[in-house]
Amino acid sequence: MTRTKLMGVRDPHGVRPLVLGKLGEGWVLSSETCALDIIGAEFIREIAPGEMVVITDKGVESSFPFRPQPSKFCIFEHVYFSRPDSLYGGRSVYETRRQIGVELARETPVEADLVCPIPDSGVPSAIGYSQESGIPYALGIIRNQYMGRTFIEPTEQIRNMGVRLKLNVNRALIRGKRVILVDDSVVRGTTTRKIKEMLLDAGAKEVHFRIASPPTAWPCFYGVDTPNRDKLLAAQMTEDEMCEHLAVDSLKFISLDGLYRAVGEAEGRKKDCPQYCDACFSGEYPVRPADQIEKGFELKAAE
Ligand code: SF4
């Protein structure tokens, strides 16, 4: 941005989102539509993959300076990154997440008394799971609303409380119940294990995890800070081994095809040319991570 120009460029695969809005006589560029709502701007359109816009007092000038590439929007934006009050392709992120819960309930049914989200990102998927399965939805875990809103520096002892400081079990509700917990992903598995322990301490009879994304077995090199492969639980273990390692009654993930259906691809994932980037689940990177390969990263062997 200069005094007279606002410029925006979206990467040729459109991995990350970018939208254009209008506020009075001015223009706005933002990753998500929810930011436009907050400042009272009108959503005009998404910037296309590979598009560059130069905005001056004459208006918006659009060009496509890069060689065209197949679109590979990050599928994990739908699951976790974006806010549920944003829209992509005219579709609400909230509705997509609810639909992920519906698919998850169809693919991984289990008998239980309650469906509870891990707040906040698990909420819409847990609602979808509950609606599809007919198992009541309830807030079995409560997020501490006051975290991060204090000017008092937490002591070492408080920091060590970790998950317990952020999330607490609604004991009166959980006692004696078979509980399905819906979460967005399992990365290292440490939070999953702690939450399970908290539920068992509160007297839950059974704890079943249902995950709104496929197993995260590969790191992201496109702007997301994920750990190395050796720290990713799903890179080290099968689904059954993870279930045993976390000592939960069951652990199931949505399939890649199920996730694609939930984001609006009725036929599922096109194997030869996937409609999204899903590298952290499939190990198929749409842009070769050349710098990482140089540092010793090994790509998935061809099947
Ligand atoms: S690797 Fe995963 S998180 Fe990264 S851009 Fe692709 S889908 Fe998104």
mmCIF file of all heavy atoms in Angstrom, residues 4 6 20-28 39-42 44 55-60:
data_model
loop_
_atom_site.group_PDB
_atom_site.id
_atom_site.type_symbol
_atom_site.label_atom_id
_atom_site.label_comp_id
_atom_site.label_asym_id
_atom_site.label_seq_id
_atom_site.Cartn_x
_atom_site.Cartn_y
_atom_site.Cartn_z
ATOM 1 N N THR A 4 -1.222 6.364 -2.673
ATOM 2 C CA THR A 4 -2.168 6.448 -3.800
ATOM 3 C C THR A 4 -2.568 5.093 -4.373
ATOM 4 O O THR A 4 -3.392 5.017 -5.262
ATOM 5 C CB THR A 4 -1.549 7.286 -4.943
ATOM 6 O OG1 THR A 4 -0.269 6.710 -5.236
ATOM 7 C CG2 THR A 4 -1.399 8.742 -4.535
ATOM 8 N N LEU A 6 -3.289 0.708 -3.702
ATOM 9 C CA LEU A 6 -3.418 -0.490 -2.867
ATOM 10 C C LEU A 6 -3.272 -1.677 -3.814
ATOM 11 O O LEU A 6 -3.975 -1.752 -4.828
ATOM 12 C CB LEU A 6 -4.795 -0.490 -2.196
ATOM 13 C CG LEU A 6 -5.210 -1.724 -1.407
ATOM 14 C CD1 LEU A 6 -4.298 -1.952 -0.213
ATOM 15 C CD2 LEU A 6 -6.656 -1.573 -0.918
ATOM 16 N N LEU A 20 -12.111 -9.003 -1.889
ATOM 17 C CA LEU A 20 -12.179 -7.558 -2.145
ATOM 18 C C LEU A 20 -13.490 -7.024 -1.580
ATOM 19 O O LEU A 20 -14.546 -7.624 -1.786
ATOM 20 C CB LEU A 20 -12.130 -7.336 -3.664
ATOM 21 C CG LEU A 20 -12.254 -5.903 -4.167
ATOM 22 C CD1 LEU A 20 -11.005 -5.092 -3.806
ATOM 23 C CD2 LEU A 20 -12.451 -5.899 -5.682
ATOM 24 N N GLY A 21 -13.388 -5.902 -0.862
ATOM 25 C CA GLY A 21 -14.592 -5.278 -0.325
ATOM 26 C C GLY A 21 -14.601 -3.790 -0.606
ATOM 27 O O GLY A 21 -13.600 -3.214 -1.053
ATOM 28 N N LYS A 22 -15.745 -3.151 -0.354
ATOM 29 C CA LYS A 22 -15.856 -1.705 -0.582
ATOM 30 C C LYS A 22 -16.423 -1.045 0.659
ATOM 31 O O LYS A 22 -17.394 -1.535 1.249
ATOM 32 C CB LYS A 22 -16.789 -1.468 -1.782
ATOM 33 C CG LYS A 22 -16.807 -0.043 -2.255
ATOM 34 C CD LYS A 22 -16.752 0.029 -3.776
ATOM 35 C CE LYS A 22 -16.106 1.323 -4.204
ATOM 36 N NZ LYS A 22 -16.987 2.358 -4.598
ATOM 37 N N LEU A 23 -15.791 0.040 1.045
ATOM 38 C CA LEU A 23 -16.243 0.780 2.229
ATOM 39 C C LEU A 23 -16.358 2.247 1.822
ATOM 40 O O LEU A 23 -15.336 2.924 1.646
ATOM 41 C CB LEU A 23 -15.231 0.606 3.370
ATOM 42 C CG LEU A 23 -15.526 1.340 4.669
ATOM 43 C CD1 LEU A 23 -16.816 0.835 5.309
ATOM 44 C CD2 LEU A 23 -14.378 1.122 5.666
ATOM 45 N N GLY A 24 -17.589 2.697 1.593
ATOM 46 C CA GLY A 24 -17.787 4.070 1.088
ATOM 47 C C GLY A 24 -17.090 4.201 -0.259
ATOM 48 O O GLY A 24 -17.300 3.403 -1.160
ATOM 49 N N GLU A 25 -16.202 5.190 -0.365
ATOM 50 C CA GLU A 25 -15.452 5.394 -1.613
ATOM 51 C C GLU A 25 -14.175 4.550 -1.639
ATOM 52 O O GLU A 25 -13.450 4.534 -2.620
ATOM 53 C CB GLU A 25 -15.070 6.880 -1.753
ATOM 54 C CG GLU A 25 -16.250 7.819 -1.991
ATOM 55 C CD GLU A 25 -17.029 7.430 -3.231
ATOM 56 O OE1 GLU A 25 -16.428 7.415 -4.329
ATOM 57 O OE2 GLU A 25 -18.226 7.104 -3.095
ATOM 58 N N GLY A 26 -13.890 3.893 -0.527
ATOM 59 C CA GLY A 26 -12.614 3.171 -0.416
ATOM 60 C C GLY A 26 -12.740 1.684 -0.689
ATOM 61 O O GLY A 26 -13.845 1.137 -0.781
ATOM 62 N N TRP A 27 -11.593 1.039 -0.851
ATOM 63 C CA TRP A 27 -11.551 -0.392 -1.123
ATOM 64 C C TRP A 27 -10.815 -1.118 0.001
ATOM 65 O O TRP A 27 -9.962 -0.534 0.661
ATOM 66 C CB TRP A 27 -10.828 -0.652 -2.447
ATOM 67 C CG TRP A 27 -11.561 -0.087 -3.627
ATOM 68 C CD1 TRP A 27 -11.393 1.152 -4.163
ATOM 69 C CD2 TRP A 27 -12.586 -0.723 -4.379
ATOM 70 N NE1 TRP A 27 -12.241 1.334 -5.224
ATOM 71 C CE2 TRP A 27 -12.986 0.191 -5.385
ATOM 72 C CE3 TRP A 27 -13.211 -1.971 -4.329
ATOM 73 C CZ2 TRP A 27 -13.975 -0.114 -6.309
ATOM 74 C CZ3 TRP A 27 -14.185 -2.271 -5.260
ATOM 75 C CH2 TRP A 27 -14.567 -1.349 -6.226
ATOM 76 N N VAL A 28 -11.150 -2.379 0.167
ATOM 77 C CA VAL A 28 -10.550 -3.172 1.248
ATOM 78 C C VAL A 28 -10.119 -4.524 0.691
ATOM 79 O O VAL A 28 -10.841 -5.130 -0.094
ATOM 80 C CB VAL A 28 -11.598 -3.453 2.366
ATOM 81 C CG1 VAL A 28 -10.935 -4.098 3.565
ATOM 82 C CG2 VAL A 28 -12.343 -2.201 2.774
ATOM 83 N N ILE A 39 -15.931 -4.155 9.876
ATOM 84 C CA ILE A 39 -15.746 -2.718 9.641
ATOM 85 C C ILE A 39 -16.893 -2.114 8.832
ATOM 86 O O ILE A 39 -16.847 -0.958 8.449
ATOM 87 C CB ILE A 39 -14.393 -2.419 8.953
ATOM 88 C CG1 ILE A 39 -14.272 -3.166 7.615
ATOM 89 C CG2 ILE A 39 -13.232 -2.775 9.875
ATOM 90 C CD1 ILE A 39 -13.106 -2.692 6.775
ATOM 91 N N GLY A 40 -17.918 -2.924 8.547
ATOM 92 C CA GLY A 40 -19.089 -2.409 7.820
ATOM 93 C C GLY A 40 -18.852 -2.265 6.324
ATOM 94 O O GLY A 40 -19.521 -1.479 5.657
ATOM 95 N N ALA A 41 -17.899 -3.004 5.767
ATOM 96 C CA ALA A 41 -17.635 -2.936 4.318
ATOM 97 C C ALA A 41 -18.496 -3.959 3.579
ATOM 98 O O ALA A 41 -18.932 -4.956 4.159
ATOM 99 C CB ALA A 41 -16.155 -3.219 4.057
ATOM 100 N N GLU A 42 -18.696 -3.688 2.286
ATOM 101 C CA GLU A 42 -19.523 -4.586 1.460
ATOM 102 C C GLU A 42 -18.600 -5.585 0.761
ATOM 103 O O GLU A 42 -17.550 -5.199 0.225
ATOM 104 C CB GLU A 42 -20.255 -3.709 0.432
ATOM 105 C CG GLU A 42 -21.162 -4.459 -0.503
ATOM 106 C CD GLU A 42 -21.541 -3.582 -1.717
ATOM 107 O OE1 GLU A 42 -21.212 -2.378 -1.722
ATOM 108 O OE2 GLU A 42 -22.138 -4.129 -2.638
ATOM 109 N N ILE A 44 -17.376 -7.541 -2.224
ATOM 110 C CA ILE A 44 -17.541 -7.397 -3.679
ATOM 111 C C ILE A 44 -17.291 -8.738 -4.373
ATOM 112 O O ILE A 44 -18.145 -9.275 -5.037
ATOM 113 C CB ILE A 44 -16.588 -6.306 -4.250
ATOM 114 C CG1 ILE A 44 -16.875 -4.950 -3.577
ATOM 115 C CG2 ILE A 44 -16.695 -6.198 -5.774
ATOM 116 C CD1 ILE A 44 -18.252 -4.364 -3.854
ATOM 117 N N ILE A 55 -5.329 -0.984 -7.064
ATOM 118 C CA ILE A 55 -6.482 -0.111 -6.795
ATOM 119 C C ILE A 55 -5.973 1.327 -6.626
ATOM 120 O O ILE A 55 -5.092 1.595 -5.798
ATOM 121 C CB ILE A 55 -7.222 -0.586 -5.519
ATOM 122 C CG1 ILE A 55 -7.670 -2.040 -5.697
ATOM 123 C CG2 ILE A 55 -8.413 0.315 -5.225
ATOM 124 C CD1 ILE A 55 -8.106 -2.721 -4.417
ATOM 125 N N THR A 56 -6.521 2.224 -7.450
ATOM 126 C CA THR A 56 -6.163 3.644 -7.361
ATOM 127 C C THR A 56 -7.464 4.434 -7.315
ATOM 128 O O THR A 56 -8.549 3.837 -7.281
ATOM 129 C CB THR A 56 -5.354 4.089 -8.609
ATOM 130 O OG1 THR A 56 -6.190 3.865 -9.753
ATOM 131 C CG2 THR A 56 -4.058 3.327 -8.749
ATOM 132 N N ASP A 57 -7.375 5.777 -7.392
ATOM 133 C CA ASP A 57 -8.626 6.560 -7.375
ATOM 134 C C ASP A 57 -9.442 6.353 -8.655
ATOM 135 O O ASP A 57 -10.581 6.776 -8.753
ATOM 136 C CB ASP A 57 -8.342 8.044 -7.102
ATOM 137 C CG ASP A 57 -7.373 8.631 -8.106
ATOM 138 O OD1 ASP A 57 -6.966 7.885 -9.031
ATOM 139 O OD2 ASP A 57 -7.035 9.817 -7.967
ATOM 140 N N LYS A 58 -8.861 5.655 -9.637
ATOM 141 C CA LYS A 58 -9.620 5.359 -10.877
ATOM 142 C C LYS A 58 -10.402 4.056 -10.745
ATOM 143 O O LYS A 58 -11.177 3.696 -11.605
ATOM 144 C CB LYS A 58 -8.663 5.276 -12.054
ATOM 145 C CG LYS A 58 -8.033 6.617 -12.404
ATOM 146 C CD LYS A 58 -7.265 6.502 -13.715
ATOM 147 C CE LYS A 58 -6.494 7.785 -13.982
ATOM 148 N NZ LYS A 58 -5.348 7.940 -13.036
ATOM 149 N N GLY A 59 -10.148 3.307 -9.700
ATOM 150 C CA GLY A 59 -10.873 2.050 -9.498
ATOM 151 C C GLY A 59 -9.935 0.861 -9.419
ATOM 152 O O GLY A 59 -8.754 1.000 -9.124
ATOM 153 N N VAL A 60 -10.486 -0.339 -9.697
ATOM 154 C CA VAL A 60 -9.727 -1.598 -9.536
ATOM 155 C C VAL A 60 -9.268 -2.091 -10.905
ATOM 156 O O VAL A 60 -10.071 -2.288 -11.811
ATOM 157 C CB VAL A 60 -10.617 -2.689 -8.890
ATOM 158 C CG1 VAL A 60 -9.828 -3.990 -8.715
ATOM 159 C CG2 VAL A 60 -11.173 -2.214 -7.563
#
